[in-house]
């Protein structure tokens, strides 16, 4: 409960808010790591979160998201300074996490004696909560590519939460 409160920037755990969020995340096929990092910026509307969605939502689901976001936002605003809350949330919600689909190419190049991707990943994962270069961001802060869907051991492995 404490972890969920921290991830959401709440002073106290709210089971209804968390349960509704998890249902919406499942319904919308959300990337948890990207979602929680985007949420850490305390967006005013759902458009700030859509980069974490794998599929477009119906208008009805978007309306559910908007209602949830409003309730969450009201809770956050009652907790105090939004800028400080955003900073706290970014310390809890990493931008970069170990994802097997990111690692596959590093394994393959390392088998050939080229460890450059291993070293690059080590640099990225050494500071998972920090903003990094735009080059790293474009490679490592993104949704899983379609070619990695439905590949056992690569598609669903993640350490985001």
């Amino acid at each position: 409960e404490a972890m969920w409160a921290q991830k959401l920037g709440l002073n106290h755990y709210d089971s209804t808010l968390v349960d509704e969020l998890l249902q919406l995340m499942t319904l919308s096929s959300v990337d948890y790591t990207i979602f929680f990092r985007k949420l850490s910026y305390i967006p005013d509307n759902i458009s700030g979160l859509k980069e974490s969605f794998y599929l477009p939502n119906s208008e009805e689901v978007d309306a559910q998201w908007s209602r949830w976001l409003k309730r969450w936002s009201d809770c956050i605003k009652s907790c105090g300074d939004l800028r400080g809350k955003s900073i706290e949330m970014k310390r809890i919600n990493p931008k970069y996490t170990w994802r097997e689909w990111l690692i596959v190419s590093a394994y393959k190049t390392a088998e050939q004696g080229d460890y450059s991707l291993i070293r690059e990943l080590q640099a990225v994962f050494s500071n998972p909560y920090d903003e990094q270069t735009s080059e790293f961001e474009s490679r490592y802060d993104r949704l899983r590519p379609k070619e990695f869907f439905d590949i056992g051991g690569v598609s669903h492995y993640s350490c985001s939460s």
Side-chain angles (χ1 to χ4, degrees):
E1 291 178 357
M3 178 206 67
W4 285 112
Q6 289 178 329
K7 288 182 87 52
L8 292 171
L10 303 172
N11 288 339
H12 304 286
Y13 178 73
D14 182 328
S15 63
T16 303
L17 201 63
V18 171
D19 290 346
E20 288 176 15
L21 172 63
L22 293 174
Q23 289 173 5
L24 283 169
M25 291 175 81
T26 300
L27 183 64
S28 299
S29 188
V30 170
D31 180 289
Y32 282 46
T33 300
I34 296 172
F35 175 84
F36 282 110
R37 187 61 178 210
K38 297 290 183 196
L39 194 66
S40 297
Y41 288 93
I42 309 179
D44 292 329
N45 59 59
I46 189 176
S47 64
L49 300 173
K50 286 202 171 193
E51 291 177 41
S52 68
F53 295 8
Y54 280 101
L55 302 170
N57 289 322
S58 67
E59 287 182 25
E60 179 183 327
V61 172
D62 276 355
Q64 290 175 342
W65 271 109
S66 293
R67 286 190 297 273
W68 181 89
L69 192 60
K70 171 75 169 100
R71 283 193 313 278
W72 171 79
S73 181
D74 289 346
C75 289
I76 292 297
K77 288 175 184 171
S78 72
C79 291
D81 171 45
L82 290 182
R83 185 176 180 276
K85 188 59 70 175
S86 175
I87 291 168
E88 286 175 22
M89 289 175 67
K90 288 175 189 167
R91 289 185 193 136
I92 299 296
N93 297 308
K95 183 163 184 163
Y96 303 98
T97 58
W98 181 277
R99 300 161 183 265
E100 196 68 19
W101 62 267
L102 285 173
I103 311 306
V104 170
S105 58
Y107 290 158
K108 290 182 179 183
T109 58
E111 287 175 344
Q112 306 302 314
D114 179 356
Y115 297 96
S116 60
L117 286 177
I118 297 285
R119 287 195 253 334
E120 183 175 290
L121 287 167
Q122 184 177 16
V124 170
F125 295 141
S126 291
N127 300 292
Y129 298 91
D130 297 346
E131 298 295 325
Q132 298 189 29
T133 67
S134 59
E135 180 183 347
F136 281 173
E137 185 169 326
S138 67
R139 282 205 300 253
Y140 302 115
D141 180 32
R142 62 189 176 108
L143 294 172
R144 179 181 60 233
K146 290 185 190 308
E147 65 265 22
F148 291 111
F149 275 73
D150 300 322
I151 299 175
V154 174
S155 180
H156 302 289
Y157 177 83
S158 173
C159 296
S160 63
S161 296

